């Protein structure tokens, strides 16, 4: 086994070179990505291999792509964490330099952006007028968490269970699923909540390319008939209104004012979507970020109360 002290010679640029090769499968393309010469990339990888005492890259002649050895794959996984940690440290330092002013970078997805964020941002702006909130929106919460890991986001909304990684999170809101049907649908019109058998035989319009936790049709018995997939709530509402199918949507995603649709409470034992707010466990939350978390918790408590009143009233 190599002397552990020799590993202190590993530099971030060595790890970055190996990571670029893993992504590009080519020394020349990796060099262009990092702005190095090909010989410089080769030297950095060779030095890394000497330090760790293992061959990391399978060199090839001709046009065949370069591949990593099993040891190389292992090293890349650890190396990416080191590089991401350094990026998080840089973000921390920049944030502390800005003090209470500057920009708070928050990841979100549509239903949160429409129903939770306006209240939170309005109240935060009144309390901390020197802080601006920059939003990054995508339906892929995994992508948002990767940005948190690299220090490119300070906080992100997410769904439980929390994905693996250097994250901590706080639970905000349990968001039950409703059945969105066309206005003239007989389902729920008599006040009876549709049951599993009713929902399982429907043509469904469902979310696409997101974790199973946001795909409630996976909890239905049998094989549900999904006729369309979209990550845009407005599109889903339009398709339901046009009679193309029904949709299982979390309450926050339902627009009760949309023409031609009706939201129905269901009784099928479907677990609610659990919304949280996550950040990097190794980063210190600045006062603005802590204030954002606190105000978001209060807004979500208000929304939970409103949902309870609406549910009993409907």
């Amino acid at each position: 086994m190599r002397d552990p002290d020799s590993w202190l010679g590993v530099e971030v640029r060595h790890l970055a070179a190996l990571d670029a090769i893993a992504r590009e499968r080519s020394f020349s393309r990796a060099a262009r990505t990092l702005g190095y010469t090909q010989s410089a990339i080769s030297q950095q990888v060779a030095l890394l291999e000497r330090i760790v005492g293992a061959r990391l890259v399978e060199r090839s002649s001709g046009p065949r792509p370069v591949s990593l050895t099993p040891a190389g794959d292992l090293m890349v996984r650890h190396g990416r964490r080191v590089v991401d940690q350094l990026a998080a440290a840089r973000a921390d330092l920049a944030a502390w330099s800005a003090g209470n002013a500057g920009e708070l970078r928050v990841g979100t997805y549509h239903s949160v952006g429409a129903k939770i964020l306006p209240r939170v941002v309005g109240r935060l702006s009144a309390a901390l007028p020197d802080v601006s909130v920059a939003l990054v929106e995508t339906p892929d919460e995994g992508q948002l968490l990767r940005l948190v890991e690299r220090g490119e986001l300070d906080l992100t909304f997410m769904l439980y269970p929390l994905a693996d990684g250097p994250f901590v999170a706080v639970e905000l809101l349990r968001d039950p699923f409703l059945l969105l049907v066309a206005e003239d649908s007989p389902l729920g019109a008599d006040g009876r909540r549709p049951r599993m058998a009713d929902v399982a035989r429907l043509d469904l319009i469902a979310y696409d390319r997101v974790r199973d936790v946001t795909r409630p049709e996976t909890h239905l018995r049998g094989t549900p008939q999904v006729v369309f997939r979209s990550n845009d709530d407005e599109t889903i509402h339009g398709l339901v209104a046009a009679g193309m199918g029904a949709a299982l949507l979390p309450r926050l995603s339902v627009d009760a004012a949309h023409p031609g649709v009706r939201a129905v409470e269901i009784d099928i034992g479907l677990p609610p979507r659990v919304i949280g707010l996550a950040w990097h466990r190794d980063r210190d939350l600045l006062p603005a970020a802590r204030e954002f978390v606190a105000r978001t918790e209060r807004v979500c408590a208000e929304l939970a109360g409103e949902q309870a009143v609406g549910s009993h009233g409907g």
Side-chain angles (χ1 to χ4, degrees):
M1 182 176 177
R2 280 290 180 120
D3 179 359
D5 287 344
S6 68
W7 280 63
L8 296 177
V10 175
E11 299 179 12
V12 174
R13 61 193 178 98
H14 301 152
L15 301 175
L18 184 65
D19 182 51
I21 290 170
R23 295 179 190 279
E24 300 294 338
R25 300 295 176 181
S26 161
F27 278 86
S28 59
R29 288 197 298 271
R32 286 197 296 272
T33 298
L34 296 177
Y36 292 143
T37 64
Q38 183 172 335
S39 62
I41 289 286
S42 298
Q43 291 167 9
Q44 288 168 15
V45 172
L47 180 56
L48 181 60
E49 289 177 325
R50 287 199 297 274
I51 292 171
V52 303
R55 186 160 51 88
L56 305 175
V57 177
E58 296 281 10
R59 276 78 171 174
S60 63
S61 57
R64 287 194 305 119
V66 174
S67 61
L68 299 187
T69 66
D73 286 329
L74 182 64
M75 196 68 191
V76 162
R77 289 199 298 273
H78 285 287
R80 284 174 181 166
R81 294 191 193 105
V82 172
V83 173
D84 288 345
Q85 190 69 40
L86 187 63
R90 180 180 60 200
D92 252 358
L93 187 59
W96 279 112
S97 297
N100 287 332
E103 187 175 74
L104 189 63
R105 301 158 303 165
V106 179
T108 186
Y109 40 89
H110 176 70
S111 56
V112 167
K115 301 292 178 64
I116 296 176
L117 273 170
R119 299 193 196 188
V120 176
V121 173
R123 298 178 190 184
L124 188 73
S125 297
L128 300 174
D130 292 332
V131 174
S132 63
V133 178
L135 299 178
V136 174
E137 183 174 342
T138 173
D140 183 357
E141 58 157 347
Q143 180 181 343
L144 295 173
L145 286 167
R146 286 190 292 274
L147 293 174
V148 169
E149 188 169 4
R150 294 201 296 266
E152 296 177 31
L153 287 177
D154 301 300
L155 303 160
T156 189
F157 288 91
M158 41 67 66
L159 297 174
Y160 282 90
L162 179 60
D164 291 338
F167 312 115
V168 291
V170 60
E171 182 179 321
L172 297 171
L173 182 68
R174 290 177 175 261
D175 192 20
F177 283 92
L178 304 179
L179 182 66
L180 192 72
V181 298
E183 197 169 32
D184 59 358
S185 170
L187 282 174
D190 58 358
R192 184 182 70 88
R193 293 188 177 191
R195 303 182 69 84
M196 178 68 77
D198 301 314
V199 178
R201 59 172 171 256
L202 295 174
D203 288 343
L204 292 178
I205 299 158
Y207 288 127
D208 188 25
R209 302 183 68 82
V210 285
R211 286 202 299 158
D212 284 348
V213 69
T214 60
R215 296 174 66 177
E217 71 275 9
T218 61
H219 294 275
L220 300 180
R221 296 195 192 110
T223 304
Q225 179 66 27
V226 176
V227 293
F228 289 100
R229 289 192 182 275
S230 173
N231 285 328
D232 183 78
D233 289 332
E234 179 67 21
T235 298
I236 292 174
H237 280 68
L239 290 170
V240 171
M244 304 306 295
L248 288 165
L249 289 182
R251 190 187 295 273
L252 279 184
S253 295
V254 170
D255 178 6
H258 194 287
V261 300
R262 183 163 44 85
V264 180
E265 300 274 351
I266 50 179
D267 186 16
I268 62 175
L270 195 63
R273 185 177 69 158
V274 183
I275 298 172
L277 195 59
W279 58 92
H280 200 297
R281 68 182 176 216
D282 295 327
R283 288 192 63 191
D284 291 331
L285 280 183
L286 289 173
R290 290 198 296 270
E291 186 69 19
F292 185 94
V293 173
R295 291 183 181 272
T296 303
E297 288 181 301
R298 287 197 287 273
V299 164
C300 287
E302 294 170 6
L303 283 170
E306 293 167 12
Q307 286 186 354
V309 170
S311 175
H312 294 316

